[in-house]
Amino acid sequence: MKTYGWTLLLAIATLATAQPQEPQKDKAELPTVIRAGMVIDGKSAQPRRDQVIIIRGNRIENVADAASAKIPPGATVIDLSKATVLPGLIDCHTHIFLQGEDPKQGGYDANILNAPLALRAARATVSARRALEQGFTTLRDVETEGAGYGDIGIKQAIDLGYIPGPRLFVSTRAISTTGGYPLEGYAPELDMPKGAQIVDGPVEARKAAREQLDHGADWIKVYMTHRSWVGKNGELVSQPTLTVDELRAIVDETHGWGKKVACHAYGGIGLHRALDGGCDSIEHGLDLDDAAISQMVKQGTWYVPTISVYYTDWSPADTPAGRRDRLRASLHEPSFRKAMKAGVKIAFGTDMGGIPWSEPIAQEFSRMTDLGMPPMEAIQSATSRAALLLEMEGKIGVVTPGAFADIIAVSGDPLRDIKTLENVQFVMKDGKVFKSLAGQDSNLK
Ligand SMILES: [Zn+2]
């Protein structure tokens, strides 16, 4: 199915662009050369100084020492000799169809109750552009929150060149159970729409996965926990949703299509069902016990911690929700530290959309380094490690020959000050400059 999808897309792209692009064909074959002051290639343990990156078409052709490199004739030279150059960044947990959901503007529910789908698509278009402006050239977008298959449409619009945006890996509607997702709190007589596809029983679960995969989901997203609250003994309790049998039906179906399953899970029963059912990545995992951590190591399960979002929008401290919000954050920190120490595979993710898209996506890097992750590892979690999660090893998340030319630059040294990644000044995606040091955008089309 993968081959079929790409062939179709490529065919459409060729049809759409064949005529106007024709005269520029020869020019497009001429290489672009980036002179880089320092390269953090996404994979190597150490940066390299004074490098030259040769790009032809949408791929990196060569990376070499500036002293010995030959600049090909006719090349366009981009001077980033005072900057640090990195691979385009990868956020493995976003929601382009959410916007922070300010309660004053109706919160989450207003999206589904009031917003026409075209408005949601327009806002998602802006979110995608914001991600690219900030140097995130790839997103794994983990569900549309009631906007159906809208992510498939945004992905096509980007791939066909209608709008600028990152490479998208999309998961469409997501899956949860009755009692496992909003809209909630309305009169029981009303049949309210839900932000995810609701299933009960393994048959419905498998059918939902089939539908989503059939419509083009790159990943399947499952909610394995839902509500959470402070328990009798001060512990965090997370309501489990799908049973192991329901999840196994989804995982079995999805793996059969050669795709993977991302599981939202905080802790407790739902987290353990997620691991027993064969989830490929645990999202949030803010209350990981030791047994879960060793099972993740054993099974090779990825951990996408999304730390920052749990520091936003805390309810007042003297309310049950406020106590829960603070407990979540306080459990997340030791969970992350223990997982890192045990060697759990960690990929960068933010839950942007839960955080307004006007905020810096790269704020998550500081959260990770504050909890003891070395800056180089934090960068790799958003480059070569994230590429592994997405099964795009060697194609994205690295500055190396053969990879797609997704390249960014910052003016400082992120190994000394990770916050420099919040101020990306140059963005190239697929060999085309989208944003330059001077801050002008180029025309992606
Ligand atoms: Zn999320």
Side-chain angles (χ1 to χ4, degrees):
M1 291 314 289
K2 210 180 207 172
T3 316
Y4 168 77
W6 278 107
T7 313
L8 187 68
L9 266 183
L10 283 174
I12 295 167
T14 311
L15 276 177
T17 57
Q19 278 184 340
Q21 297 283 314
E22 203 69 45
Q24 294 180 358
K25 216 174 179 180
D26 288 338
K27 206 183 160 204
E29 291 306 310
L30 291 173
T32 299
V33 172
I34 293 176
R35 289 183 182 280
M38 185 161 92
V39 173
I40 294 172
D41 71 8
K43 201 164 182 191
S44 306
Q46 298 298 327
R48 292 197 301 280
R49 295 203 171 271
D50 298 321
Q51 300 287 297
V52 163
I53 303 161
I54 299 169
I55 296 137
R56 205 177 290 266
N58 66 342
R59 300 267 182 173
I60 297 170
E61 190 176 81
N62 198 16
V63 184
D65 284 331
S68 58
K70 285 201 179 75
I71 306 294
T76 305
V77 178
I78 298 170
D79 184 9
L80 298 173
S81 58
K82 293 187 171 54
T84 303
V85 172
L86 304 101
L89 301 170
I90 303 167
D91 188 337
C92 297
H93 190 123
T94 63
H95 302 278
I96 57 171
F97 278 87
L98 283 183
Q99 309 294 331
E101 312 323 317
D102 185 349
K104 290 196 278 303
Q105 291 171 23
Y108 180 87
D109 293 16
N111 277 301
I112 294 175
L113 295 174
N114 306 124
L117 199 51
L119 172 60
R120 297 199 66 188
R123 298 178 85 189
T125 301
V126 175
S127 308
R129 185 189 176 99
R130 288 213 169 123
L132 191 57
E133 282 168 352
Q134 295 182 50
F136 283 80
T137 52
T138 302
L139 306 179
R140 184 182 61 155
D141 200 69
V142 282
E143 88 129 315
T144 60
E145 309 285 358
Y149 293 93
D151 50 359
I152 302 275
I154 299 291
K155 177 179 169 173
Q156 286 177 359
I158 293 168
D159 291 347
L160 293 171
Y162 289 106
I163 59 170
R167 299 174 192 279
L168 291 187
F169 290 80
V170 299
S171 53
T172 75
R173 298 182 63 192
I175 298 171
S176 193
T177 57
T178 296
Y181 216 72
L183 302 180
E184 293 169 330
Y186 293 87
E189 296 76 20
L190 295 174
D191 190 12
M192 298 306 290
K194 298 290 179 182
Q197 189 167 2
I198 300 301
V199 302
D200 293 294
V203 173
E204 285 185 19
R206 187 180 289 271
K207 188 174 183 194
R210 282 178 179 158
E211 280 176 14
Q212 295 181 9
L213 292 160
D214 185 27
H215 291 311
D218 300 305
W219 275 71
I220 295 296
K221 165 79 177 291
V222 182
Y223 286 89
M224 291 303 294
T225 61
H226 179 41
R227 298 169 176 88
S228 60
W229 60 90
V230 181
K232 293 182 204 79
N233 303 311
E235 78 283 20
L236 186 75
V237 184
S238 296
Q239 169 214 342
T241 52
L242 282 82
T243 63
V244 175
D245 283 347
E246 287 167 335
L247 178 60
R248 279 201 181 128
I250 292 168
V251 169
D252 181 60
E253 185 66 30
T254 307
H255 285 178
W257 289 59
K259 304 276 170 75
K260 296 206 266 184
V261 179
C263 285
H264 167 115
Y266 283 0
I269 297 167
L271 170 67
H272 284 276
R273 286 183 187 170
L275 294 170
D276 291 345
C279 269
D280 297 293
S281 71
I282 296 294
E283 310 297 308
H284 318 301
L286 51 79
D287 189 10
L288 299 177
D289 56 76
D290 292 345
I293 288 173
S294 46
Q295 195 171 353
M296 288 171 82
V297 171
K298 197 168 145 223
Q299 294 180 189
T301 316
W302 285 90
Y303 178 33
V304 184
T306 71
I307 303 161
S308 309
V309 72
Y310 291 97
Y311 288 85
T312 60
D313 293 334
W314 281 357
S315 298
D318 55 352
T319 63
R323 282 192 285 279
R324 177 207 57 196
D325 293 343
R326 284 155 183 80
L327 180 58
R328 281 175 177 174
S330 73
L331 291 168
H332 214 157
E333 297 190 4
S335 294
F336 180 81
R337 285 182 197 276
K338 279 195 284 183
M340 189 170 52
K341 203 168 158 224
V344 174
K345 299 190 290 187
I346 296 176
F348 181 99
T350 57
D351 220 355
M352 289 305 290
I355 301 170
W357 284 94
S358 50
E359 287 191 27
I361 304 172
Q363 65 183 288
E364 183 76 9
F365 285 113
S366 315
R367 294 280 179 197
M368 296 168 103
T369 55
D370 286 351
L371 294 178
M373 185 177 260
M376 188 60 106
E377 279 182 36
I379 290 168
Q380 290 176 353
S381 80
T383 53
S384 62
R385 304 289 291 161
L388 264 181
L389 166 75
L390 295 170
E391 297 188 329
M392 290 287 283
E393 189 181 13
K395 295 183 183 141
I396 58 173
V398 281
V399 178
T400 193
F404 289 119
D406 293 358
I407 293 171
I408 65 164
V410 292
S411 59
D413 178 358
L415 298 176
R416 287 176 192 213
D417 178 8
I418 199 80
K419 283 195 170 291
T420 57
L421 293 172
E422 293 178 23
N423 192 13
V424 169
Q425 301 195 25
F426 172 86
V427 180
M428 171 185 276
K429 184 200 154 201
D430 222 21
K432 293 180 183 134
V433 177
F434 173 67
K435 179 181 179 181
S436 78
L437 278 166
Q440 310 110 337
D441 292 349
S442 77
N443 187 356
L444 252 196
K445 280 198 80 174

